[in-house]
Amino acid sequence: MPQAAPVTTTPARTKKPALPDEVREPLDAAVADLARGARTWTHLTLAQRARLLDRVRAAVTAVAEEWAHGAAASKGLAPGHPLAGEEWLSGPYATLVALDAYRDTLAALAKGESPLKRVKTDAAPGGRVRAHVFPLAPVDGVLLSGYTGEVWFGPGVSEADVRADAGLAQLTPTESGGVGLVLGAGNVTSIPVLDVMYELIAHNRVTILKVNPTQDALVPVFERALAPLIEPGFVRIVTGGGDVGAYLTEHRDIAHVHITGAAPTFDAIVWGPSSGSGAASTARRRRENRPKLNKPITAELGGVSPIIIVPGEWSEADLRFQAEHVATMRLYNSGHNCIAGQVVLLSADWPQREAFIAALRDALDAAPSRPLWYPGSDGKLAAAASDYPDASWSTDGTRALVQARPGEASALETTEYFAPVLGVVALPGNGQEFLDRAVEHANDELAGTLGANVLIDPVTQAALGDGFERAIADLRYGTVSINSWTAFGFLTPTLPWGGFPGASLQDVQSGIGIVHNALLLDRVERAVTRGPFRPFPRSLAPTALRRSNGRAFSVLPKPPWFVTSRTGAAVSEGFTRFRMDGDYAKLSATLVRAFQA
């Protein structure tokens, strides 16, 4: 399916929102600067663009420490907090690895090579082609031992199509994509920067970035990090509230809008307000398919992410480790993530069900405390308390564990709480029967299509065989993570990131189009990530290796992003600094810390 195909509609006539001259005039000047920059961009060769990204990389390296510390402070994390490493990974680390990947793609195209030259492709279920895009460098296998990433293309897309289309707008570098608007996310600090980079590289579109007010304190960091793109007029950064965003979305010289946020915000931009005096006009526009917005829009939105637990025979250590894994999916960044796991789907017939829930409760209680910093979080927690008065809460009232029967889980399954609310829903069955039922439930009952997680021990996976891969193909999610978390897909730049194809302006689900996708691949359907079920040293147990054909292997004792990792902050910073300077001696010290997690 082509990426973000424009939707042809008859736009409604709208009036631009009024802004004071002192606010409006600088915005108009920024858009005019970008219009000139768009022409300049089309004159750069691919090799020049690759070198420009080298300059951006150097600028990001120079501000990385200030970036990570500033982001941690903005989220209420004191210096030395055990979870401060999150801001290294989800800020400068994510940006640096993306810049490296884009730079490699541009360099390959400049030499007349395909970005897929070193990438293995093979068949995936349902007549699909897949490309194995992680790891591509030996160091990736060292830092993220046992983790892999695949891109699956839509049914009927041939390998020849995949290789011919790789490059997107860089196959026609002199064709301008015009001036775009990025409405930046407010929860993860790399997202606005990565969205700007994708607009520029994938679409030849220079960009005005409207920063979410939650990240206003980081604007000076963003300006220095993106200075090599700001100077020639390829990027402008502005601040402001909803009035500024509304003015820019309707600006006549903005050719395209991209937003990372929530579906209600997307709907308000496209159709108008859903409440108040304009609600009747909005409803009429939707009925008549006359959107308020008169230009193409792409979006990465959230949803309710499932965590499917496939029943098997787990040891006590397995139960503890995977409970910590699930707790991380919910508690990372205080749960203020579009990909935070929210609903655990497990088997009512699994003999270890209660033991797993007990381990999960312990993991939630043991994770370090931290503020709920995102605006509106208190209201989301209050809504959960109202929806589920029997929920189990942490002593400080910031984390809830809800056990709900399928018929009572509607609020849990349709409300993206965007806060530390984790639900457990038990479905009947074992083996393939349970897995198929869980996939159907996730597809049909849970809101959104952004990411799904599946946890399964290697012996059970081997027993299911092709049935397991078929079930993965049946999941209608943009990223499916097996024994890993979908955040790994977000952090891996060679993977696409976005909702499952098929959304529309009328039913946006988790968004339209994709981002990241550093190999610039077209007709993408999904990303699939795989990780180790057991950490080191249990991954090396002879019995485990023999019974699982080695698929349990990993040398990581605990991933640094686990909220229960004792050395996660130091290791996350160390991994980022290695990406900055490539110093293997320092990396060795970081790896020692990783083994102390």
Side-chain angles (χ1 to χ4, degrees):
M1 176 178 178
Q3 295 179 47
V7 178
T8 303
T9 58
T10 302
R13 291 184 176 274
T14 58
K15 183 179 179 181
K16 284 188 177 182
L19 283 176
D21 289 347
E22 62 270 21
V23 177
R24 177 182 54 79
E25 290 174 356
L27 298 175
D28 289 342
V31 174
D33 289 345
L34 289 166
R36 290 186 290 271
R39 294 190 291 272
T40 302
W41 177 257
T42 63
H43 288 86
L44 294 186
T45 67
L46 296 179
Q48 287 173 325
R49 294 174 186 186
R51 290 194 294 272
L52 182 60
L53 293 194
D54 286 336
R55 292 181 55 206
V56 178
R57 191 190 195 287
V60 170
T61 296
V63 301
E65 183 170 336
E66 182 182 355
W67 182 338
H69 291 172
S74 74
K75 298 179 180 183
L77 298 180
H81 192 283
L83 298 180
E86 293 179 0
E87 300 311 317
W88 281 95
L89 282 183
S90 60
Y93 179 93
T95 304
L96 288 166
V97 294
L99 287 168
D100 287 344
Y102 284 129
R103 197 257 182 223
D104 289 347
T105 291
L106 287 172
L109 290 168
K111 294 187 292 185
E113 298 176 354
S114 168
L116 288 172
K117 181 179 179 180
R118 297 182 296 124
V119 175
K120 174 188 173 184
T121 57
D122 60 12
R128 294 171 172 87
V129 171
R130 65 181 168 189
H132 297 264
V133 302
F134 184 91
L136 293 181
V139 69
D140 293 327
V142 172
L143 297 183
L144 295 164
S145 171
Y147 289 83
T148 63
E150 308 158 12
V151 179
W152 290 25
F153 300 88
V157 178
S158 69
E159 181 181 356
D161 292 334
V162 168
R163 294 188 180 275
D165 294 339
L168 297 180
Q170 298 310 308
L171 298 176
T172 54
T174 61
E175 296 180 11
S176 173
V179 179
L181 167 66
V182 166
L183 298 172
N187 60 324
V188 174
T189 60
S190 64
I191 292 177
V193 176
L194 295 178
D195 288 351
V196 165
M197 294 305 306
Y198 194 69
E199 287 290 288
L200 188 61
I201 303 300
H203 301 294
N204 282 332
R205 190 177 292 133
V206 300
T207 302
I208 184 167
L209 166 62
K210 209 288 283 185
V211 175
N212 188 291
T214 62
Q215 295 190 7
D216 280 354
L218 288 172
V219 167
V221 172
F222 293 156
E223 288 175 337
R224 294 200 298 280
L226 295 176
L229 300 178
I230 293 173
E231 292 164 1
F234 303 149
V235 173
R236 288 291 182 268
I237 301 175
V238 299
T239 60
D243 55 346
V244 171
Y247 178 78
L248 289 171
T249 59
E250 298 183 8
H251 197 288
R252 65 180 183 181
D253 294 327
I254 295 292
H256 180 275
V257 177
H258 177 80
I259 176 174
T260 296
T265 305
F266 175 93
D267 287 342
I269 292 169
V270 173
W271 302 105
S274 60
S275 60
S277 59
S281 296
T282 297
R284 184 170 62 252
R285 279 194 292 270
R286 294 196 77 146
R287 287 195 306 270
E288 298 172 355
N289 198 28
R290 292 187 304 109
K292 175 184 175 184
L293 187 69
N294 63 354
K295 61 197 66 175
I297 183 170
T298 52
E300 187 266 276
L301 310 174
V304 175
S305 292
I307 308 165
I308 298 174
I309 310 291
V310 183
E313 187 176 339
W314 293 11
S315 68
E316 289 188 12
D318 293 336
L319 292 168
R320 287 194 302 271
F321 179 78
Q322 294 300 346
E324 292 177 20
H325 198 176
V326 173
T328 295
M329 296 179 192
R330 180 68 270 184
L331 298 181
Y332 195 99
N333 198 25
S334 286
H336 309 318
N337 282 340
C338 57
I339 44 161
Q342 182 164 305
V343 175
V344 177
L345 298 175
L346 46 66
S347 171
D349 302 318
W350 186 27
Q352 295 179 288
R353 177 170 62 92
E354 291 302 326
F356 179 76
I357 293 173
L360 181 56
R361 186 178 291 110
D362 289 344
L364 291 170
D365 289 342
S369 62
R370 63 176 298 168
L372 297 177
W373 62 271
Y374 202 81
S377 298
D378 291 343
K380 294 294 184 70
L381 288 180
S386 175
D387 293 334
Y388 298 101
D390 295 331
S392 300
W393 289 83
S394 60
T395 55
D396 62 1
T398 63
R399 305 169 190 177
L401 180 65
V402 177
Q403 296 188 62
R405 289 188 289 270
E408 301 172 348
S410 177
L412 187 69
E413 295 178 339
T414 59
T415 303
E416 183 188 7
Y417 285 112
F418 216 67
V421 178
L422 181 65
V424 177
V425 176
L427 304 173
N430 275 305
Q432 191 72 51
E433 177 191 9
F434 166 79
L435 179 56
D436 290 343
R437 182 173 282 118
V439 166
E440 181 181 10
H441 190 93
N443 285 339
D444 297 343
E445 304 298 332
L446 273 58
T449 62
L450 186 60
N453 311 275
V454 181
L455 303 181
I456 182 170
D457 69 272
V459 174
T460 301
Q461 183 176 340
L464 295 180
D466 292 342
F468 177 77
E469 293 296 320
R470 175 188 53 74
I472 296 303
D474 288 342
L475 275 166
R476 296 194 297 270
Y477 287 84
T479 296
V480 178
S481 291
I482 304 158
N483 292 332
S484 56
W485 176 27
T486 48
F488 171 70
F490 173 89
L491 283 175
T492 303
T494 49
L495 293 171
W497 182 253
F500 194 75
S504 66
L505 297 184
Q506 291 279 6
D507 182 18
V508 72
Q509 295 288 314
S510 287
I512 299 170
I514 59 174
V515 291
H516 302 184
N517 186 30
L519 296 174
L520 304 181
L521 306 177
D522 201 3
R523 293 190 271 188
V524 165
E525 183 185 64
R526 76 183 80 199
V528 175
T529 73
R530 302 175 195 262
F533 179 75
R534 295 183 178 93
F536 181 88
R538 291 190 300 115
S539 60
L540 301 181
T543 301
L545 287 171
R546 185 175 64 253
R547 296 178 67 190
S548 62
N549 295 321
R551 280 186 289 184
F553 177 75
S554 174
V555 298
L556 281 176
K558 185 178 289 188
W561 55 83
F562 268 40
V563 293
T564 52
S565 172
R566 290 178 296 186
T567 60
V571 173
S572 297
E573 179 179 347
F575 279 5
T576 308
R577 291 191 180 278
F578 174 74
R579 293 294 187 180
M580 293 160 58
D581 58 26
D583 189 323
Y584 279 89
K586 294 179 182 177
L587 176 62
S588 299
T590 297
L591 293 176
V592 170
R593 297 299 304 276
F595 278 90
Q596 300 167 346

